[in-house]
């Protein structure tokens, strides 16, 4: 990171005009010696920097030019950048400590870091818009039919797997079996007529809900992770899971208390699009590169330096090689 900022500064020096002596990239002498055979030209420096750091620096410059035009600065962008900066500053007692930290990562000033976060935010917007533009009506309708419901009021019983990250594979396997058996035992009690609230209080390891009958409140299905949403979708109102549901938290038992009328497709279309985009990026991270390549092509960019053109193409091909 340090090197990157240094190189950007060097490129600025090389490309800047109006200095006392314009060395440019036209082959002017950059460093001279008594022995003229040792002379270093600006082209010598340019070619070395181009090969080592030119591609990433050029891509950042291309994306900044395009995305600043495509996504002008806004309150939402500023809010995001401010949040990121604040989250870092919270770790440091003084401004000097904060600056020392970002200097270590190659950012000379806070404004440099802000530009980094701003570019990343705009890149994310570009990728999301690219993927949204490629969603089909059929995809959106399918998700609506299969995954959208009215707001749900529900409760759950969570049985966590009690194993530390340092546990052996055998210990983790044993802990998982114990959690599964405990969840099955809880379901057996529900089957025998014990109320969901009582079983939650006895078996659930979710301290935030166990003493309140396991109540999770009322929520939109789109706000749930895929596993939980599908688990609730399978339940009729007044029913609970008849088998433990394995989630990222452990084993869960869900109880659907109420379900409101399903909203119209148009009223939730934007949320569905966001959900589908998130799913696509989770399943295929290389789509982010495709999205950025697409917006560059949209603006008709053309790399005039033949070496950088080859470097760029090789970089993109390597990023997408699993797709070919």
């Amino acid at each position: 990171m340090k090197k990157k900022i240094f190189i950007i500064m060097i490129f600025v020096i090389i490309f800047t005009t109006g200095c006392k002596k314009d060395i440019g990239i036209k082959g002017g002498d950059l460093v001279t010696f008594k022995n003229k055979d040792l002379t270093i030209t600006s082209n010598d420096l340019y070619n070395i920097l181009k090969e080592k750091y030119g591609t990433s620096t050029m891509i950042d410059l291309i994306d900044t030019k395009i995305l600043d035009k495509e996504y002008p600065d806004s309150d939402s962008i500023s809010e995001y950048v401010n949040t990121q900066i604040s989250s870092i500053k919270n770790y440091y007692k003084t401004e000097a400590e904060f600056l020392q930290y970002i200097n270590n990562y190659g950012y000379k000033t806070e404004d440099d870091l802000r530009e980094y976060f701003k570019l990343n935010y705009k890149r994310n917007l570009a990728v999301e818009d690219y993927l949204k533009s490629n969603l089909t009506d059929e995809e959106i309708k399918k998700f609506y039919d299969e995954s959208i419901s009215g707001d749900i009021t529900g409760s759950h019983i969570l049985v966590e797997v009690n194993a530390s990250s340092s546990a052996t594979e055998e210990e983790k396997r044993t802990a998982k079996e114990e959690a599964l058996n405990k969840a099955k035992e809880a379901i057996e009690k529900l089957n025998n007529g014990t109320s969901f609230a009582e079983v939650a209080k006895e078996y659930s390891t979710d301290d935030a809900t166990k003493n309140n009958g396991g109540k999770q409140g009322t929520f939109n299905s789109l706000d749930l992770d895929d596993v939980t949403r599908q688990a609730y979708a399978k339940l009729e109102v007044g029913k609970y899971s008849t088998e433990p549901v394995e989630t990222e938290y452990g084993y869960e038992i869900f109880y659907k208390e109420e379900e409101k009328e399903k909203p119209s497709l148009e009223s939730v279309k934007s949320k569905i699009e966001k959900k589908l985009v998130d799913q696509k990026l989770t399943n295929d991270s290389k789509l982010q590169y495709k999205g950025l390549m697409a917006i560059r092509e949209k603006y008709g960019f053309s790399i005039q330096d033949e070496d950088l053109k080859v470097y760029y193409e090789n970089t993109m091909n390597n990023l997408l090689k699993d797709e070919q």
Side-chain angles (χ1 to χ4, degrees):
M1 300 285 281
K2 246 181 177 177
K3 288 182 178 179
K4 185 175 180 182
I5 295 302
F6 173 73
I7 294 308
I8 291 174
M9 293 171 67
I10 292 295
F11 266 80
V12 170
I13 293 172
I14 292 175
F15 284 85
T16 298
T17 58
C19 301
K20 289 183 179 178
K21 185 175 181 181
D22 181 11
I23 59 175
I25 57 170
K26 299 176 182 179
D29 293 344
L30 184 65
V31 180
T32 59
F33 299 83
K34 290 181 179 179
N35 182 344
K36 292 185 179 181
D37 291 339
L38 301 178
T39 298
I40 300 172
T41 69
S42 57
N43 276 336
D44 294 332
L45 178 60
Y46 172 76
N47 287 329
I48 291 172
L49 296 179
K50 177 176 66 174
E51 182 177 355
K52 290 187 175 181
Y53 311 106
T55 306
S56 61
T57 302
M58 179 187 66
I59 290 173
D60 284 350
L61 289 171
I62 290 170
D63 288 352
T64 297
K65 288 282 188 181
I66 291 174
L67 298 178
D68 281 352
K69 186 174 182 62
E70 191 81 5
Y71 302 99
D73 291 351
S74 63
D75 290 342
S76 60
I77 293 174
S78 296
E79 183 180 351
Y80 169 80
V81 172
N82 289 336
T83 298
Q84 299 305 310
I85 296 292
S86 296
S87 68
I88 296 174
K89 281 189 169 182
N90 286 338
Y91 284 99
Y92 300 96
K93 295 180 180 179
T94 66
E95 185 74 9
E97 289 179 347
F98 165 72
L99 288 175
Q100 182 179 1
Y101 171 77
I102 66 173
N103 290 165
N104 290 338
Y105 283 92
Y107 300 101
K108 187 176 180 182
T109 67
E110 182 178 316
D111 285 342
D112 291 336
L113 186 59
R114 286 181 177 277
E115 289 302 312
Y116 164 78
F117 283 126
K118 186 165 69 172
L119 177 57
N120 277 357
Y121 185 85
K122 291 181 179 183
R123 278 173 167 159
N124 288 335
L125 290 178
V127 171
E128 287 180 7
D129 286 347
Y130 164 75
L131 292 177
K132 283 180 183 178
S133 69
N134 284 284
L135 290 175
T136 65
D137 291 339
E138 289 74 17
E139 283 181 284
I140 294 171
K141 183 65 164 58
K142 184 174 186 293
F143 189 94
Y144 174 78
D145 291 340
E146 296 178 358
S147 301
I148 298 299
S149 65
D151 286 353
I152 295 169
T153 301
S155 302
H156 82 144
I157 296 168
L158 167 64
V159 182
E160 294 174 303
V161 177
N162 188 20
S164 67
S165 57
S166 60
T168 65
E169 289 303 313
E170 180 61 31
E171 289 171 335
K172 290 178 182 178
R173 187 160 46 251
T174 299
K176 191 172 182 179
E177 289 177 1
E178 289 175 351
L180 176 60
N181 289 334
K182 188 174 181 181
K184 289 180 177 179
E185 185 179 314
I187 291 174
E188 187 64 27
K189 284 208 169 186
L190 291 171
N191 292 341
N192 290 332
T194 306
S195 71
F196 198 91
E198 289 181 74
V199 176
K201 188 172 183 179
E202 181 179 355
Y203 284 88
S204 184
T205 57
D206 182 1
D207 292 333
T209 64
K210 62 181 296 182
N211 292 322
N212 192 32
K215 292 185 179 296
Q216 293 181 297
T218 300
F219 39 82
N220 187 285
S221 59
L222 283 174
D223 296 329
L224 303 174
D225 62 82
D226 290 342
V227 174
T228 302
R229 185 178 67 254
Q230 291 168 9
Y232 269 117
K234 293 176 182 178
L235 295 176
E236 297 178 7
V237 173
K239 301 293 185 180
Y240 55 81
S241 308
T242 55
E243 292 291 336
V245 178
E246 185 174 1
T247 70
E248 61 179 304
Y249 308 105
Y251 289 97
E252 297 188 63
I253 304 161
F254 298 102
Y255 172 46
K256 184 187 286 187
E257 300 174 42
E258 183 182 355
E259 182 177 340
K260 295 183 179 179
E261 183 179 352
K262 185 171 182 171
S264 68
L265 173 58
E266 284 305 311
S267 68
V268 293
K269 186 176 181 180
S270 62
K271 288 186 176 181
I272 292 175
E273 289 174 338
K274 180 66 168 64
K275 197 75 175 180
L276 287 171
V277 165
D278 290 344
Q279 287 181 353
K280 287 177 181 291
L281 285 171
T282 298
N283 295 333
D284 183 4
S285 62
K286 291 179 176 58
L287 285 173
Q288 61 183 305
Y289 308 123
K290 288 186 176 181
L292 292 172
M293 289 171 68
I295 196 168
R296 292 170 198 148
E297 295 294 339
K298 170 186 170 182
Y299 275 80
F301 87 111
S302 178
I303 301 171
Q304 302 305 308
D305 185 296
E306 288 301 318
D307 290 331
L308 283 174
K309 183 177 181 179
V310 172
Y311 297 157
Y312 175 81
E313 290 173 351
N314 288 342
T315 297
M316 293 300 107
N317 286 335
N318 286 333
L319 289 172
L320 299 174
K321 61 184 178 182
D322 292 340
E323 299 296 315
Q324 297 177 355

